Amino acid sequence: MPFVVTEPCIKCKYTDCVSVCPMDCFVEGPNFLVIDPEQCIDCSVCVPQCPVGAIVGANEVTPAQAPFVALNARLAQAPGWRPITRSQAPPADHQAWVGVSGKLDRLQTAW
């Protein structure tokens, strides 16, 4: 089972995880990252790199996180979303969003 990026990443978009991924399976959107389930080899190297705990095994998601399994798969193939392989600075207001729940409505799917 691949790993998935969940709600804590929305508007935080830390990229510490992408530089350690041996398969380059992260895909970037405007304010969120996803993991391409077709590329993920379930190595878990990225999990401890996420400072907000947004990366979870697809077989370990909670009921509240379950929609993120399909969301990662869909957005990994979405037009405009692009592979990301190097860390970059988080958004300027990222600290304001750490620990905030209920951010799904703030997810931007188009650039």
Side-chain angles (χ1 to χ4, degrees):
M1 261 316 188
F3 283 82
V4 297
V5 181
T6 61
E7 185 178 50
C9 183
I10 298 171
K11 298 204 52 84
C12 289
K13 197 171 121 177
Y14 293 103
T15 57
D16 306 54
C17 53
V18 302
S19 60
V20 299
C21 180
M23 300 305 292
D24 296 335
C25 63
F26 282 88
V27 182
E28 176 186 27
N31 66 351
F32 186 59
L33 299 175
V34 297
I35 295 174
D36 183 341
E38 299 297 319
Q39 301 298 321
C40 182
I41 60 170
D42 196 25
C43 71
S44 78
V45 174
C46 60
V47 175
Q49 300 304 313
C50 181
V52 293
I55 303 171
V56 181
N59 59 342
E60 298 171 350
V61 295
T62 65
Q65 296 167 326
F68 285 90
V69 175
L71 185 66
N72 274 243
R74 181 173 60 83
L75 293 177
Q77 304 302 317
W81 284 59
R82 57 184 181 248
I84 179 173
T85 59
R86 293 192 177 133
S87 293
Q88 57 190 6
D93 65 344
H94 67 97
Q95 283 291 346
W97 295 101
V98 173
V100 175
S101 60
K103 297 188 288 185
L104 188 55
D105 64 332
R106 303 222 182 241
L107 174 63
Q108 296 173 327
T109 58
W111 289 92

